Amino acid sequence: MPSSLTAVPNVRRIETDRSDVFACEIANHVSAADLENLYGLLEGAYALHPRIDVLVHFTNYEGVDWSELSEETKKEGQEHANAHIRKCASIGGPDWVSHFSGFFAPSIDVELKRFEENEEQEAWAWIGATPQPLDI
C-alpha cells in the first residue's frame, strides 16, 4: 500500500502557455476531497482572470463521489463556473458534454466540446493553448 508521500493526487493541474486557461488531468476514482481540491484550483484561476477556458483530460477514469459533496458546494461551483468559464474541452473519459450543458445556466454562453483520447492535440488547438512542462 502506498504511503501518503507517494500517493499521486487524482486531480492534477496541467501548466499551459496561457494564464487564462485552466487545464487539469482527472485520473482514477475522484473523491469528495479531490473535488474540493479541483474547486479550489478553479477558484484560484477565477481570481486571476474574470473569464477562463478549461481543458479536462480524463485518464483511467473510474467515477466521482458526487454524493459526498455538499449541495452548497455543488451550487457554488456551478455559479462560479457560470460566471467565469468561456470554453470547456474534455479529453477521454465519459461523455459529459450533455451533463455539463445542464450544469451551466441556460442563459450562459459556454462552448463545450468532447474529444476522444486520440484527439488530444485537437482539443488543445480548440482551446488555443499548449501544455507546458512543470517547473520543478
Side-chain angles (χ1 to χ4, degrees):
M1 180 170 168
S3 75
S4 61
L5 294 176
T6 60
V8 176
N10 292 332
V11 175
R12 297 181 285 279
R13 178 94 196 251
I14 301 170
E15 294 298 323
T16 75
D17 61 342
R18 281 183 43 208
S19 64
D20 65 338
V21 169
F22 175 84
C24 68
E25 178 184 20
I26 295 180
N28 307 312
H29 184 78
V30 180
S31 68
D34 293 321
L35 289 170
E36 293 281 353
N37 179 41
L38 175 60
Y39 284 173
L41 292 170
L42 282 166
E43 289 298 325
Y46 301 155
L48 296 173
H49 300 282
R51 302 286 284 169
I52 63 171
D53 296 327
V54 175
L55 182 140
V56 180
H57 189 170
F58 292 95
T59 58
N60 301 316
Y61 178 73
E62 297 174 4
V64 175
D65 280 339
W66 289 107
S67 64
E68 295 180 14
L69 201 62
S70 76
E71 289 302 316
E72 181 179 330
T73 300
K74 289 178 198 175
K75 183 179 178 192
E76 186 176 290
Q78 181 180 15
E79 289 171 354
H80 290 190
N82 283 331
H84 296 283
I85 296 177
R86 289 182 298 239
K87 290 173 85 170
C88 182
S90 68
I91 304 168
D95 184 356
W96 282 13
V97 169
S98 59
H99 174 75
F100 277 137
S101 29
F103 183 75
F104 295 99
S107 62
I108 302 298
D109 186 24
V110 176
E111 292 181 70
L112 303 168
K113 191 164 182 181
R114 181 180 183 272
F115 296 86
E116 297 294 336
E117 187 65 40
N118 63 351
E119 298 175 314
E120 181 178 358
Q121 289 182 338
E122 290 89 340
W124 282 103
W126 186 75
I127 284 292
T130 304
Q132 301 295 298
L134 290 174
D135 292 332
I136 299 179

